[in-house]
Every structure is written in structure tokens, then in C-alpha cells.
Amino acid sequence: SIGSNTLSDVNTVTGAAGRIDSACLFTAANSEFLRAADNADLSLGADTAFTFSAWVYLASTALISVILSKGSPQDVGNAAGEYSLDHRSATDAFRLAVKSAGGTEGTVESPSGVTLNAWHHVVCWHDPTADTINVQMDGGTIGSTAYSAGTQDTGLSFLVGARSNAETAVERFMDGRIDEVGFWKRVLTASE
């Protein structure tokens, strides 16, 4: 928790050894995830700069394993999606997806080569000045895509370990560990 943003446990997320300290251990078969209600701290605006950072330890390669989300922007027809970070088994990469209020979707992937049962540091960001969305794994090559459509604010909850198409339709559960999730409403510097 940070300030008033305390994540609530849904379906008994357990703990395990983390990259920094202790981590959350998610079991996809149990539909486990963490949730924080929608609020201004976790929401974007029309063209908000942001950075996400997390340590991720995948235990299996499901079709899609979601690390964090606020809606499901990558689904066609889902105007409510705001942002999500997931691992896609088809490309063996981490993927950032964002959606604008006008329904334009932007996606970018890290270079492939995610190792199962090993820690990976994933950082992704939206730079509205440069009009890009970006994702980087383990301090390596940055995946970057031009994106000028902006971001949006939705009323959906912030989830760690899953995504939702609506408040009652949660899916794409994580199977593995997540540690030290960070969210900033600015682009971090390289040294940060």
C-alpha cells in the first residue's frame, strides 16, 4: 500500500521469496489477484505521462499473463480499457497496451526471450512529449512505438495479477510472482 491505495486480496494471494523482499505469489487456477478501487492516483487523463515498474517471475506461459491493468485496452470493442502490462506467450514478450478516449489503441512489446522461473525487471512508459509508448526488460533494448492518441480515465479498478473487461469479468490471471510494483505519473529518467 501507498498512502490510501491499499490493494485488497481476492481469492487468497499468498507470499513467496521476492526479488527485493517478499513477493505476491499468484496461482492462476485459483483466480487470484489484488485490487484497488478506481481513484485519481491510479487513473490517467487525456494524455498523461506515466511509468510502471515491476519485478516479474513467470511460473508458466499461459496465453496471456497479466501483471497489472486498469481495464483491458487490447480487446477490440472495449472502449473502457485504460492500460495493461502483460506477458504474451505467442511472442514471448512483455506488452504494454494503452487506449485513448477516442478508442485508439497503442501496443508495444519488449524484445523476446523471457525465462521461466527467473526474475525479470520490466519498465514501461508513455511519453506524451515524444509521442511514444515504450517497454524495457532487464535494462536491455527498449521496445518503442510511435503513439500520439493519448490516454484516458476510466472508472475501472486497478488490478495486479489479472485484467477485467468490466468490474465483474476478471480474466487472464497471473501464474507466478510479482514484486515491487511502482507507478509514477511522469516518465522516469534512465538513472531512476
Side-chain angles (χ1 to χ4, degrees):
S1 65
I2 298 292
S4 62
N5 289 306
T6 301
L7 295 167
S8 59
D9 182 352
V10 179
N11 295 329
T12 316
V13 175
T14 58
R19 178 63 177 91
I20 306 300
D21 195 2
S22 59
C24 290
L25 174 62
F26 298 88
T27 303
N30 297 341
S31 303
E32 299 170 356
F33 63 98
L34 301 173
R35 172 186 282 147
D38 174 53
N39 66 70
D41 292 339
L42 300 170
S43 295
L44 303 178
D47 201 16
T48 305
F50 68 82
T51 303
F52 292 112
S53 172
W55 285 96
V56 180
Y57 184 102
L58 293 170
S60 68
T61 53
L63 178 63
I64 300 172
S65 298
V66 177
I67 292 98
L68 59 86
S69 70
K70 197 161 188 293
S72 180
Q74 62 268 54
D75 286 344
V76 174
N78 180 12
E82 197 166 329
Y83 53 76
S84 71
L85 172 62
D86 58 42
H87 175 264
R88 321 266 306 170
S89 64
T91 55
D92 191 26
F94 291 104
R95 174 176 145 157
L96 169 67
V98 297
K99 191 169 272 190
S100 72
T104 301
E105 173 190 304
T107 62
V108 63
E109 291 189 351
S110 67
S112 61
V114 177
T115 304
L116 282 180
N117 300 310
W119 285 106
H120 294 285
H121 186 232
V122 183
V123 180
C124 58
W125 64 96
H126 169 242
D127 185 339
T129 303
D131 284 333
T132 61
I133 52 176
N134 311 272
V135 64
Q136 182 179 33
M137 180 179 76
D138 298 332
T141 302
I142 297 171
S144 186
T145 298
Y147 180 75
S148 60
T151 54
Q152 68 173 333
D153 182 8
T154 69
L156 294 170
S157 294
F158 174 81
L159 305 181
V160 175
R163 74 177 189 196
S164 62
N165 290 320
E167 285 299 295
T168 57
V170 180
E171 63 180 11
R172 304 295 188 190
F173 300 98
M174 175 72 178
D175 204 15
R177 294 179 257 176
I178 301 174
D179 196 8
E180 301 294 323
V181 173
F183 175 35
W184 298 264
K185 286 189 180 176
R186 63 184 177 88
V187 176
L188 295 182
T189 66
S191 61
E192 288 173 319

